[in-house]
Every structure is written in C-alpha cells, then in structure tokens.
Amino acid sequence: MPSRLPSSARLRRFLVVPVALAGLALAGCAGGAGGDDASDPDALVVYNAQHEQLTEEWADAFTAETGIDVVLRNGDDSELANQLVQEGKASKADVFLTENSPAMSLVEGADLFAPVAPSALALVPEQFRPASGLWTGIAARSTVLVYNPELISESELPASLLDLADAQWTGKWGAAPAKADFQAIVSAVLATQGEDGARDWLDGMAENAVEYRNNIVTMKAVNAGEVPMGIIYHYYWFRDQDAAAEDSAGTKLHYFGNQDPGAFVSISGGGVLKNAPHADEAQQFLAFIAGEQGQKILGEGYSFEYPVASDVAAKPELPPLAELDAPVIDPSTLNGPAVIELMTEAGLL
C-alpha cells in the first residue's frame, strides 16, 4: 500500500489505556481515556508491551516518514497477550509488541498472527526470530547476575543460575518473580531443564530467594547490601551507570555464559495480527522497526537493549551478543502458561 504523506491534520496521537478500559472501548462503550483516538478508523493500533518511551520514538519516526497515525495501547506482556487471546478475531489490534518471547508464543499458539512479510524477516538473523515466521525479534536483553563485591567476591559466585537452588544460597539472592522479565528467564529454565528440572529449581528458589517488586528494586537491594546478588536484565544496570549510578555504583555484573539458563537472551517480539484492520500499514510498521532507522532508534537511544536486525550495532558499553554464549532456544517454543503454572505451584505467584 502506498505511503501517505504527512499532514498536520493527521497528527499521531498516543492512547495510553489500561487493559480493562481498552476492553470497554472494544466493546463499544463510550467514554474513558482516548475515546476519540479509538474511533479514528485510519489509525494503526499497536498493543504495546515494550517500553513506552522506545515505542513512542518508533511511532514518531514512522509517522513522520509515512504519515500513518499510530495509537498505542500500553500494558505488560501477559496482560496484552491474554487480552488478544480473549478478543480473538474481534480484536481491533494491528500490531503486538512485547518485551519477552513467551507472550508472543501465547498469541501465536492461539493462531492470531499473520505471517511476517518476507522482506521484514530478511532483516532479522534466524537466531533472533521463531522458525514459524509468524513474528520476529525486534530487540534483545541478556540475563545477568548483579552482585555486591563488598559482600561476595567474583570467585565465590555460583557457576550456574541453577546453583542458586542450593541451600548454601538461602537468603543470598533476590529476584522479581511476579514480573514478566523473570518469568521469561524461568521459561528458559523450563526449555533447557524440562518440567521436572524447572520444578526442582523453582522449589529451591522459593526457599532461597528474597522477592522484590521488579528488576530495579532488586538492583537497589544489591547495591544497598540487603542481599549479595540478584537476577536482572542487563540494561537496568547500564542505564543506571549511564546516569548517576545511584542504584548500582556498589555493584558489578556477572555473565554466566556456557549456554547456561542464566545466560538466557530474551527476544522482544513484534507481530501483525491475522485480522488486523490495517494489515498493510501494520506490515510497514514492523518492517520499519526491524529496519535500519528503527534499529538505530533502539541502539542509539536510552534503552541499552540490543538491536537484533539490519546490522545495527549495540552501544559500545555492552558486551557483544555473540560473546554471551547464550543457550540456543527457538523463542516460539517458550511456554509462558506452563511457567505460570509451575511458579504458582511453587508458591512464587
């Protein structure tokens, strides 16, 4: 479909609507935030679980280039994935963006994605997209162990994420089990260790780990000396270091490597819904994100996530993805519902 020229009459507007309100809007209920935007028949609707600032930057640049309005419905991975499954073919969503792969797998499993255009898939190396071709990677983040060298030396660190289930680490590490980021890491444990192995590890975690609200709070706790170690994603630490390092000055990062589950690299995904009202524009938007301009917005911006497409380099402060020696896992096989069931069984949710 030809691109439309930018127009002052077609300024892109963001719609930040909690999932519950989004459901009301889709059911035709008047009122609530963003009602005018929801009625714009030409706007591209993106269900966005990626960081809002990053997706807003993508949408701004896309609109400037094509004149296509973009409306964002923001939420987290599991909220929006379950919303899409609930809405099914009646959904008004055109594009789904996530922070982690399990939410993409859930929507793929419900047969709600259209194939990604081959020209967009060709921008992304095979290791950063599912074999199905029904969605693609748009960014990556690495699992790391953040530790406080005043409390534990590098030589004393566990060799594997799996070791943290041992009794010797009771009360010595923290994590945020209620967040989608950590649940994606557990999905890697499940994929590499099987159900029995994942259950055993989660039982050990329930005994040993100190639970925090999110990755940032976990990092702060390590920095403050509450616990010697924490499991987080890398970019929280690099962002803080790039600012005033208020929450990380007393910490260092350890990469497990060796294809350990603790070296898991989570793929942020993007896909076009099978019943998207604006399918052509949706494919354009996804190709824009995976293209050079979109990946530079990611790689050069505030996020400190890894670009995965169009040969765009990550920030020089980051260790190269190829040197992280992450476990090789097809992201479409990550089983979010099974992870939730196992974590609930272990008393972590």
Side-chain angles (χ1 to χ4, degrees), residues 49-73:
Q50 247 293 350
H51 296 287
E52 292 180 23
Q53 180 177 334
L54 172 61
T55 306
E56 288 174 1
E57 291 172 355
W58 277 333
D60 276 335
F62 177 73
T63 300
E65 181 171 295
T66 65
I68 298 172
D69 291 346
V70 178
V71 170
L72 305 182
R73 296 189 191 280

Side-chain angles (χ1 to χ4, degrees), residues 97 182 203 208 221 236 246 255 260-261 281 285 317 326:
L97 304 179
F182 189 81
D203 287 344
N208 298 344
Y236 294 99
E246 291 182 351
Y255 291 82
D260 188 83
E281 293 90 339
F285 184 68
E317 296 94 325

Side-chain angles (χ1 to χ4, degrees), residues 10 12 32 41 74 85 117 122 136 151 171 197 205 209 221 227 233 249 260 276 289 294 343:
R10 292 182 51 75
R12 182 182 57 76
N74 295 312
V85 171
T136 184
L151 301 177
M205 176 182 175
V227 287
Y233 279 152
D260 188 83
I289 292 174
M343 293 184 73

Side-chain angles (χ1 to χ4, degrees), residues 33 43 63 91 122 133 145 165 274 326:
T63 300
S91 178
L145 180 78
K274 183 181 286 185

Side-chain angles (χ1 to χ4, degrees), residues 88-115:
K89 294 179 179 179
S91 178
K92 301 301 182 185
D94 295 299
V95 175
F96 183 36
L97 304 179
T98 67
E99 291 190 328
N100 297 286
S101 301
M104 301 300 292
S105 300
L106 181 64
V107 176
E108 179 180 349
D111 193 27
L112 294 174
F113 280 135

Side-chain angles (χ1 to χ4, degrees), residues 149-166:
E150 294 293 324
L151 301 177
I152 187 170
S153 69
E154 185 173 11
S155 63
E156 294 173 315
L157 296 176
S160 167
L161 177 78
L162 302 176
D163 293 343
L164 292 172
D166 295 340

Side-chain angles (χ1 to χ4, degrees), residues 41-349:
D42 295 327
L44 185 70
V45 177
V46 176
Y47 277 26
N48 175 51
Q50 247 293 350
H51 296 287
E52 292 180 23
Q53 180 177 334
L54 172 61
T55 306
E56 288 174 1
E57 291 172 355
W58 277 333
D60 276 335
F62 177 73
T63 300
E65 181 171 295
T66 65
I68 298 172
D69 291 346
V70 178
V71 170
L72 305 182
R73 296 189 191 280
N74 295 312
D76 69 24
D77 282 359
S78 58
E79 281 180 314
L80 291 180
N82 284 301
Q83 178 83 25
L84 283 168
V85 171
Q86 181 182 8
E87 292 170 357
K89 294 179 179 179
S91 178
K92 301 301 182 185
D94 295 299
V95 175
F96 183 36
L97 304 179
T98 67
E99 291 190 328
N100 297 286
S101 301
M104 301 300 292
S105 300
L106 181 64
V107 176
E108 179 180 349
D111 193 27
L112 294 174
F113 280 135
V116 177
S119 58
L121 285 180
L123 299 170
V124 186
E126 290 184 359
Q127 66 265 35
F128 300 127
R129 53 182 166 87
S132 66
L134 290 172
W135 54 275
T136 184
I138 55 174
R141 58 271 301 275
S142 174
T143 308
V144 294
L145 180 78
V146 59
Y147 70 99
N148 187 323
E150 294 293 324
L151 301 177
I152 187 170
S153 69
E154 185 173 11
S155 63
E156 294 173 315
L157 296 176
S160 167
L161 177 78
L162 302 176
D163 293 343
L164 292 172
D166 295 340
Q168 72 177 99
W169 301 112
T170 300
K172 295 182 178 178
W173 64 287
K179 303 301 288 186
D181 285 352
F182 189 81
Q183 291 162 16
I185 296 169
V186 176
S187 74
V189 175
L190 177 59
T192 58
Q193 307 302 309
E195 185 172 320
D196 289 343
R199 182 179 287 109
D200 290 344
W201 188 77
L202 289 169
D203 287 344
M205 176 182 175
E207 293 292 327
N208 298 344
V210 179
E211 297 184 19
Y212 292 102
R213 189 170 71 253
N214 56 41
N215 280 309
I216 294 174
V217 177
T218 302
M219 181 174 67
K220 286 181 177 180
V222 176
N223 190 53
E226 291 180 20
V227 287
M229 306 175 291
I231 297 295
I232 62 173
Y233 279 152
H234 77 280
Y235 61 87
Y236 294 99
W237 189 87
F238 282 99
R239 282 183 192 171
D240 190 67
Q241 290 281 311
D242 189 54
E246 291 182 351
D247 301 324
S248 64
T251 68
K252 293 183 176 180
L253 293 187
H254 173 71
Y255 291 82
F256 285 109
N258 299 313
Q259 300 188 22
D260 188 83
F264 173 63
V265 171
S266 184
I267 303 300
S268 300
V272 173
L273 278 300
K274 183 181 286 185
N275 293 286
H278 311 95
D280 289 342
E281 293 90 339
Q283 293 285 356
Q284 289 182 53
F285 184 68
L286 194 57
F288 176 84
I289 292 174
E292 184 176 2
Q293 187 176 352
Q295 290 291 288
K296 282 186 174 179
I297 290 172
L298 167 68
E300 297 174 359
Y302 85 106
S303 102
F304 276 92
E305 294 181 77
Y306 286 95
V308 296
S310 299
D311 296 323
V312 172
K315 284 183 177 289
E317 296 94 325
L318 301 179
L321 267 179
E323 296 179 6
L324 299 184
D325 199 11
V328 179
I329 302 171
D330 184 331
S332 68
T333 65
L334 297 176
N335 192 334
V339 166
I340 297 298
E341 184 175 336
L342 287 168
M343 293 184 73
T344 302
E345 181 182 311
L348 290 164
L349 296 176

